[in-house]
Amino acid sequence: RRCGLAAGRSYSGGGSYPSVSLTCPLPGVPKAVFAAAEGRERFETRVTVLENGLRVASQNKFGQFCTVGLLINSGSRHEAKYLSGISHFLEKLAFSSTAQFGSKDEILLTLEKHGGICDCQASRDTIMYAVSADAKGLDTVVNLLADVALQPRLSDEEIEMTRTAIRFELEDLNMRPDPEPLLTEMIHAAAYRDNTVGLNRFCPVENTDKIDREVLHSYLRNYYTPDRMVLAGVGIEHEQLVECAKKHLLGVEPVWGSGQTKDVDRSVAQYTGGIVKVEKDMSDVSLGPTPIPELTHIMIGLESCSFLEEDFIPFAVLNMMMGGGGSFSAGGPGKGMFTRLYLNVLNRHHWMYNATSYHHSYEDTGLLCIHASADPKQVREMVEIITREFILMAGAVGEVELERAKTQLKSMLMMNLESRPVIFEDVGRQVLATNTRKLPHELCALISQVKSTDIKRVVTKMLHKKPAVAALGDLTDLPTYEHIQAALSSKDGRLPRMYRLFR
């Protein structure tokens, strides 16, 4: 049809242009001019290293708000020479009183003036202090981040409140119907016994009273140094961020002093394999009108690779191909309903409540694992089914199946990177580990290049390792570690015949 004001059907709510096609511009309305960036400015992540070793990284993104934060190469994996739980304490103490700010309320009020929010997250290898606020308040935000990271007061009252908060969190973790956080800790402890990423991310109850200001300062002196930090920002000009970093983070004397670091743990992760079992009554973890039945939870894992290795991308595709989830999910292909753990496990074994694949990757190692849940009486069969899925990973990979996994991985990557805080974390973590950043289109190109032979190669290498096993609940029928190891070494993933006959 023609564009313009030609006579047409009359609409009661159509306004002044009842007959203009939705594909045509409205007459008399100025043409829209959209903001655009020229050349590499559209996507380039810029990195500047200051004189003290601190790295400043930024990514352009249009909008009124920015996300800025400090990422520090510090976490529970570095606590071998310290009391376990220091990183957990630091996470809870973040954004409390500092040299400039008398209380957490004062910090929040300062951020409120710029429409800002703050957060701190501690993981096995990184502690991240982040603020999202109006880009006009950048100087205030960087000043606040520097003060929070380098000048915390750590008062006795704040430390005591943190002890209470951690005890409550640990109680809550043990009462949750979903034990996935506990199983993640257990599988890491089994896979890397007493070293690096195998150390507990949560503070043990017995250590809550032992961690005080002196212990925290001792740890901070070694790990909160400029060469272990990245100031990352998304949605701001790079030069402006560098100027703020020089002003607030260059030549600053931390509250714990600037003595020589002497106890920095540079250990490389040592994969050991093994089993961690926790007998627990799961019959009352979910009370109410529709309680979850009593379940036993098993997680089996094998060492994969570091995110710095080329095999990381094939492992990521493999993890997407395995997929899985709960026994009930409303959705189609986009929800992963055509992944192997749905098609081969949940769709065929109605008694299984969960089968999910996870891939944890670090600078020097990685862990691919499958979490499964079922009634305690079905534990033996559940273990056999999961070990069989590991064996089948090394078999034939269909072209349609592989392309679907690759497309889903690229889709998930691009959708996640629509979020400014996610871009910030991606920029910060990559620069912290490699001093540079692989851009989304580069990652998508690497994903597209993955072939079925790559999947088979990485799986074959993985299956030669000892398994890591975590088990939680009623473990009466749980096979021994030796039987699970033997099943993973067999051609079909079945438990040894002697176990089936005489268990």
Side-chain angles (χ1 to χ4, degrees):
R1 56 189 281 189
R2 292 179 301 156
C3 298
L5 293 171
R9 190 182 300 171
S10 177
Y11 296 93
S12 58
S16 306
Y17 307 102
S19 59
V20 178
S21 167
L22 293 177
T23 59
C24 300
L26 295 176
V29 176
K31 189 177 178 182
V33 179
F34 297 100
E38 297 301 322
R40 290 185 64 80
E41 279 294 310
R42 288 180 300 162
F43 51 80
E44 188 181 36
T45 300
R46 298 179 62 187
V47 181
T48 299
V49 183
L50 302 187
E51 297 91 284
N52 61 356
L54 184 134
R55 286 154 287 179
V56 181
S58 73
Q59 176 72 50
N60 244 342
K61 186 173 175 67
F62 296 113
Q64 180 184 350
F65 283 80
C66 65
T67 299
V68 182
L70 269 173
L71 290 93
I72 303 164
N73 186 7
S74 156
S76 58
R77 70 169 295 164
H78 300 106
E79 293 172 4
K81 298 178 183 177
Y82 292 89
L83 287 167
S84 177
I86 290 176
S87 299
H88 195 186
F89 258 76
L90 291 172
E91 179 186 66
K92 298 297 177 195
L93 284 162
F95 295 99
S96 298
S97 63
T98 67
Q100 290 183 45
F101 300 92
S103 66
K104 180 171 279 191
D105 288 342
E106 200 174 318
I107 288 174
L108 296 176
L109 285 169
T110 302
L111 285 174
E112 201 174 288
K113 293 173 185 174
H114 300 285
I117 55 171
C118 60
D119 186 30
C120 177
Q121 292 180 11
S123 62
R124 291 190 145 73
D125 52 4
T126 312
I127 292 182
M128 179 175 68
Y129 299 84
V131 171
S132 286
D134 193 305
K136 292 175 184 174
L138 180 64
D139 188 72
T140 303
V141 167
V142 176
N143 175 42
L144 172 63
L145 286 167
D147 215 41
V148 163
L150 301 176
Q151 304 286 335
R153 285 186 184 172
L154 305 180
S155 68
D156 293 338
E157 183 185 358
E158 287 168 347
I159 290 174
E160 193 52 50
M161 285 176 66
T162 299
R163 289 189 181 117
T164 305
I166 286 175
R167 289 189 195 108
F168 178 81
E169 186 177 347
L170 294 173
E171 280 183 34
D172 180 59
L173 275 172
N174 285 305
M175 291 167 62
R176 283 186 194 176
D178 175 21
E180 198 267 325
L182 285 178
L183 283 164
T184 300
E185 292 306 306
M186 291 164 63
I187 196 79
H188 277 82
Y192 307 91
R193 191 168 292 278
D194 299 327
N195 78 91
T196 58
V197 293
L199 301 177
N200 202 327
R201 194 167 64 86
F202 299 110
C203 180
V205 178
E206 62 271 16
N207 285 357
T208 52
D209 287 323
K210 298 174 186 175
I211 296 175
D212 55 20
R213 190 190 298 109
E214 188 179 339
V215 171
L216 293 170
H217 277 186
S218 172
Y219 179 87
L220 292 166
R221 189 175 294 111
N222 285 314
Y223 292 101
Y224 275 43
T225 54
D227 58 302
R228 300 178 70 89
M229 294 182 181
V230 169
L231 177 68
V234 175
I236 32 80
E237 293 293 331
H238 185 72
E239 289 76 14
Q240 191 183 357
L241 185 63
V242 171
E243 285 306 311
C244 289
K246 287 179 177 177
K247 180 179 175 183
H248 300 294
L249 286 159
L250 203 57
V252 177
E253 177 80 14
V255 70
W256 48 84
S258 55
Q260 280 292 102
T261 59
K262 54 183 179 180
D263 290 322
V264 176
D265 186 358
R266 304 187 193 280
S267 304
V268 175
Q270 302 297 315
Y271 181 84
T272 60
I275 186 167
V276 172
K277 300 187 290 185
V278 176
E279 287 271 2
K280 185 180 177 184
D281 180 8
M282 305 288 282
S283 59
D284 60 351
V285 293
S286 174
L287 304 175
T290 54
I292 297 173
E294 180 184 355
L295 300 174
T296 294
H297 301 269
I298 305 294
M299 197 177 270
I300 300 175
L302 292 165
E303 188 181 23
S304 57
C305 73
S306 150
F307 59 69
L308 299 176
E309 296 177 47
E310 288 184 3
D311 284 345
F312 172 69
I313 299 295
F315 268 116
V317 174
L318 172 65
N319 181 55
M320 191 60 66
M321 196 167 74
M322 297 307 295
S327 58
F328 173 81
S329 178
K335 290 289 293 291
M337 299 293 277
F338 282 89
T339 59
R340 285 192 179 186
L341 291 180
Y342 266 114
L343 293 174
N344 301 348
V345 179
L346 293 169
N347 288 357
R348 295 183 182 181
H349 307 283
H350 64 89
W351 45 267
M352 284 187 69
Y353 281 79
N354 180 49
T356 312
S357 175
Y358 296 95
H359 188 216
H360 306 277
S361 199
Y362 306 95
E363 274 191 61
D364 48 2
T365 187
L367 190 65
L368 183 80
C369 42
I370 296 176
H371 169 207
S373 310
D375 185 276
K377 295 183 181 65
Q378 307 282 163
V379 169
R380 183 198 61 79
E381 194 176 350
M382 175 170 66
V383 169
E384 195 167 281
I385 288 165
I386 296 307
T387 54
R388 191 180 302 138
E389 286 306 308
F390 272 108
I391 300 296
L392 290 172
M393 288 181 194
V397 178
E399 197 58 40
V400 173
E401 178 187 36
L402 181 62
E403 286 305 313
R404 182 186 290 123
K406 285 155 64 172
T407 302
Q408 193 173 352
L409 181 59
K410 285 187 277 190
S411 171
M412 186 175 291
L413 171 70
M414 300 309 291
M415 285 181 67
N416 286 339
L417 289 173
E418 288 289 310
S419 164
R420 191 182 60 250
V422 173
I423 300 173
F424 153 76
E425 189 171 345
D426 182 50
V427 169
R429 285 184 179 276
Q430 287 203 50
V431 172
L432 193 64
T434 65
N435 296 320
T436 184
R437 181 188 178 220
K438 269 196 173 73
L439 297 165
H441 68 270
E442 294 177 85
L443 292 170
C444 286
L446 290 171
I447 293 167
S448 297
Q449 291 167 16
V450 174
K451 298 180 175 64
S452 57
T453 51
D454 296 321
I455 301 292
K456 189 166 184 174
R457 173 174 51 78
V458 298
V459 171
T460 303
K461 186 169 72 172
M462 181 177 68
L463 286 171
H464 282 100
K465 305 289 178 68
K466 288 173 63 178
V469 181
L472 179 69
D474 179 350
L475 308 179
T476 309
D477 286 344
L478 178 71
T480 65
Y481 177 76
E482 289 72 24
H483 283 119
I484 296 172
Q485 189 174 0
L488 279 167
S489 303
S490 68
K491 291 181 180 179
D492 59 0
R494 291 175 67 83
L495 292 166
R497 185 168 178 271
M498 290 295 287
Y499 174 79
R500 295 201 301 276
L501 291 175
F502 302 112
R503 68 184 179 85

